[in-house]
Amino acid sequence: MAKIVELKNVTKVYKTGEREFRALDGVDLGIEKGKFVVILGPSGAGKSTLLNLIGGMDIPTSGQVIVDGEDISKYNEDKLSRYRAATVGFIFQFYNILPTLTVLENVELVKDIVKNALDPHEALAKVGLTEQENKFPNQL
Ligand SMILES: Nc1ncnc2c1ncn2[C@@H]1O[C@H](COP(=O)(O)OP(=O)(O)OP(=O)(O)O)[C@@H](O)[C@H]1O
Ligand SMILES: [Mg+2]
């Protein structure tokens, strides 16, 4: 089966001042097309770090992150932005919504970024949020 996501010897080292922290250390991973995969591990194991690399939110310190045959670890900021907009869907651990926009306005933003975006009203109806459309995030 073709691999849709492949990580080869990936490391991620965070530097804070003088200190270095190796969050990922030589990770190899292969995910086949069409598979539903769960990444499980204790807090601090590096799950978000790993997902940030696959999602194009961050780049590895070394190693390759290959998505659909393309090594995204070599992408510049511009290519990564386009990759995030067009190729991946990402649900953040700490949801990144804009507090000064309503629920509907937050969802409508997607139309500025992607082609063929879902209708915002339809998208909100699908998750049972129609009645909350005009509320602000802190009112939910
Ligand atoms: N930006 C950063 N700077 C420095 N250290 C970081 C940074 N991000 C994560 N870390 C450290 O890297 C390690 C892995 O963090 P990560 O957030 O990937 O863990 P996690 O498995 O997602 O944990 P949780 O289950 O709590 O979400 C942790 O020790 C964390 O403190
Ligand atoms: Mg996490």
Side-chain angles (χ1 to χ4, degrees):
M1 240 315 213
K3 300 263 196 303
I4 189 73
V5 173
E6 213 173 353
L7 270 67
K8 291 184 181 169
N9 200 20
V10 166
T11 64
K12 180 69 190 178
V13 179
Y14 291 113
K15 290 195 181 91
T16 34
E18 298 277 280
R19 296 177 61 178
E20 287 196 349
F21 187 84
R22 190 168 286 265
L24 299 177
D25 190 9
V27 173
D28 292 305
L29 172 73
I31 299 175
E32 289 172 5
K33 214 167 186 168
K35 287 280 161 69
F36 183 97
V37 174
V38 173
I39 297 168
L40 194 71
S43 181
K47 305 178 294 294
S48 293
T49 301
L50 183 76
L51 291 177
N52 286 341
L53 298 182
I54 297 171
M57 240 71 62
D58 205 353
I59 51 169
T61 306
S62 65
Q64 291 177 293
V65 179
I66 300 159
V67 179
D68 208 6
E70 288 257 328
D71 185 358
I72 67 163
S73 63
K74 304 276 186 292
Y75 279 9
N76 60 23
E77 260 315 311
D78 193 44
K79 277 188 107 174
L80 274 179
S81 294
R82 270 180 276 150
Y83 166 77
R84 288 192 297 263
T87 308
V88 285
F90 204 100
I91 299 172
F92 292 96
Q93 183 164 10
F94 303 102
Y95 34 76
N96 292 344
I97 46 182
L98 299 178
T100 54
L101 300 183
T102 64
V103 169
L104 181 62
E105 288 163 347
N106 264 282
V107 176
E108 277 174 342
L109 280 180
V110 177
K111 289 204 294 190
D112 295 339
I113 302 169
V114 298
K115 288 183 201 141
N116 311 319
L118 285 181
D119 174 73
H121 296 287
E122 256 176 59
L124 287 166
K126 275 192 174 168
V127 294
L129 282 173
T130 298
E131 284 179 18
Q132 321 287 343
E133 274 189 3
N134 296 316
K135 288 191 181 159
F136 288 95
N138 68 0
Q139 297 175 306
L140 295 175

